């Protein structure tokens, strides 16, 4: 059960990251008026940095499911919970809990902690 929870958390984190990145590229940045142009590129790269980080964390959570109850597994789960939890809390604060992204990230955190 613990391994399945970690795998589910990893897959959920990766799916959230892909949707997050796609929303940026197809909905946010095409209509955003950001000047100067260099700032626009910087903001796009910063936005996508979290996308890449969440994909990496999801991959690590899936890999951690193959580890025994070792310190590496615990560290991966703990750090993923902090990083994804920060995203969940930030999303919920900004949207006042009305956006599904924060709830999905909270679900990924819960699954990761179940797999702890």
């Amino acid at each position: 059960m613990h391994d399945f929870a970690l795998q589910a958390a990893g897959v959920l984190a990766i799916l959230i990251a892909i949707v997050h990145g796609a929303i940026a590229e197809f909905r946010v940045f095409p209509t955003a008026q950001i000047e100067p142009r260099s700032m626009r590129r910087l903001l796009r790269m910063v936005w996508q940095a979290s996308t890449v980080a969440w994909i990496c964390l999801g991959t690590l959570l899936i890999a951690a499911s193959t580890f025994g109850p070792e310190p590496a597994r615990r560290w991966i789960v703990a750090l993923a919970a902090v990083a994804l939890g920060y995203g969940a809390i930030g999303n919920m604060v900004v949207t006042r809990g009305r956006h599904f992204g924060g709830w999905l990230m909270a679900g990924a955190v819960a699954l990761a902690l179940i797999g702890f």
Side-chain angles (χ1 to χ4, degrees), residues 5 14 27-28 39 41 55 60 68 92 96 99 108 112 116:
I14 291 169
R27 299 205 58 200
V28 174
M39 185 59 66
R41 283 191 302 269
I55 289 171
L60 282 173
M92 288 188 187
R96 297 185 183 149
H99 187 270
F116 195 61

Side-chain angles (χ1 to χ4, degrees), residues 88-100 102-103:
I89 291 168
N91 185 300
M92 288 188 187
V93 166
V94 170
T95 66
R96 297 185 183 149
R98 291 184 295 233
H99 187 270
F100 65 91
W103 293 104

Side-chain angles (χ1 to χ4, degrees), residues 1 37 67-68 74 78 81 83 92 99:
M1 179 65 179
R37 194 122 176 102
F67 303 164
R74 292 186 184 126
M92 288 188 187
H99 187 270

Side-chain angles (χ1 to χ4, degrees), residues 55-105:
I55 289 171
C56 292
L57 285 171
T59 304
L60 282 173
L61 286 169
I62 293 168
S65 70
T66 65
F67 303 164
E70 302 169 9
R73 178 182 179 128
R74 292 186 184 126
W75 277 105
I76 290 169
V77 171
L79 294 174
V82 169
L84 294 171
Y86 179 80
I89 291 168
N91 185 300
M92 288 188 187
V93 166
V94 170
T95 66
R96 297 185 183 149
R98 291 184 295 233
H99 187 270
F100 65 91
W103 293 104
L104 288 175
M105 292 182 86

